Amino acid sequence: MGRVNTALQELRGAQKSAKGVSLYSRFVNRPAGRYLAAGSYALGLTPNQVTLVSAAFSFAAVAAAALCAPSWGLGIAVWAALAVGFAFDSADGQLARLRGGGSAAGEWLDHVVDAAKLTALHSCVLIAFYRFPEEYGTTAEAWLLVPLGFQFASVVTFFGGLLTEKLKPKPAPGSPAAAPSTLRAVALLPVDYGVFCLVFLLLGGGKLFAWTYAGLGAVAGLFLLAFLAKWFRELSAVPR
């Protein structure tokens, strides 16, 4: 326990900026990831191993949602596995900082797993809508376009945000970090991955899940348009 407590104290002072982070990630996922990172450090795990643990939880949830008939129990299990996987996704980076910094290979693995997880999650909904159309009320073939559209918005947002951060000039060393905006943190909740995972608690509701998922997909599409305009404007101001 002493090693865990020491790790927790060090992690509290080595958190990333909360700028551009939703309330869920800031107050739920990152703190949970901090405890998981401290426990992983005490067990001697590497950041890459923690990334693979995150992937195991996430893809187990994906497989269950795609292959099992919808029920309230399934929804709780899928959400719990996704939430734990997301917390471990935060823990790998925190563990890397605790160990003195990550590696290029570790960052690559983290992003590849994130992209695969995001793609698979919407694919599993597509499969579920196809396999259990009566339960979800998705007998009309047009419903199969919903997860495809949601997947498109999510993947482009993920890639666009990642590329924007790589292309934007880094702040000068020693410059003060911008204060996080509470309004922005609240506004980002609808497109936070952790908040999105909550929709799977409604799997037992069948049609309720389908319509809530579709609503979140529409919101994701609107946010994508706003993000693209913002990112293009910011990068247009960067000198070549």
Side-chain angles (χ1 to χ4, degrees):
M1 285 298 294
R3 194 177 186 192
V4 172
N5 290 332
T6 300
L8 281 172
Q9 290 177 357
E10 292 185 29
L11 284 168
R12 289 190 183 99
Q15 293 297 297
K16 293 194 297 184
S17 168
K19 181 184 177 183
V21 176
S22 84
L23 288 180
Y24 179 91
S25 289
R26 182 178 176 186
F27 292 110
V28 178
N29 198 59
R30 282 187 178 179
R34 187 159 61 239
Y35 281 95
L36 292 175
S40 300
Y41 180 76
L43 292 173
L45 298 180
T46 67
N48 287 350
Q49 289 172 329
V50 172
T51 300
L52 295 178
V53 171
S54 170
F57 275 99
S58 300
F59 290 117
V62 165
L67 301 177
C68 300
S71 68
W72 294 108
L74 175 67
I76 293 172
V78 168
W79 167 77
L82 290 174
V84 172
F86 190 34
F88 271 109
D89 186 32
S90 174
D92 59 6
Q94 298 192 55
L95 177 60
R97 290 192 293 278
L98 185 61
R99 290 164 57 98
S103 65
E107 185 176 1
W108 175 87
L109 178 64
D110 184 41
H111 290 320
V112 167
V113 169
D114 284 344
K117 177 175 62 179
L118 200 58
T119 306
L121 194 53
H122 294 292
S123 297
C124 87
V125 176
L126 174 64
I127 294 170
F129 282 179
Y130 177 78
R131 296 187 72 237
F132 307 105
E134 297 296 334
E135 290 86 341
Y136 287 112
T138 54
T139 52
E141 292 184 354
W143 269 104
L144 300 182
L145 297 176
V146 174
L148 289 177
F150 204 155
Q151 184 182 73
F152 174 84
S154 299
V155 171
V156 174
T157 298
F158 174 78
F159 178 76
L162 193 64
L163 188 57
T164 300
E165 288 303 311
K166 293 295 182 183
L167 294 176
K168 283 169 60 175
K170 299 292 186 291
S175 58
S181 166
T182 301
L183 181 61
R184 179 178 173 83
V186 173
L188 289 173
L189 281 173
V191 288
D192 185 282
Y193 178 82
V195 174
F196 164 67
C197 291
L198 290 170
V199 74
F200 288 90
L201 288 171
L202 302 177
L203 279 177
K207 293 180 181 179
L208 178 60
F209 168 81
W211 282 103
T212 305
Y213 175 87
L216 287 174
V219 171
L222 294 174
F223 268 85
L224 172 61
L225 295 176
F227 284 143
L228 290 177
K230 175 179 179 293
W231 293 332
F232 186 79
R233 185 174 65 252
E234 291 175 348
L235 292 176
S236 295
V238 177
R240 294 177 63 89

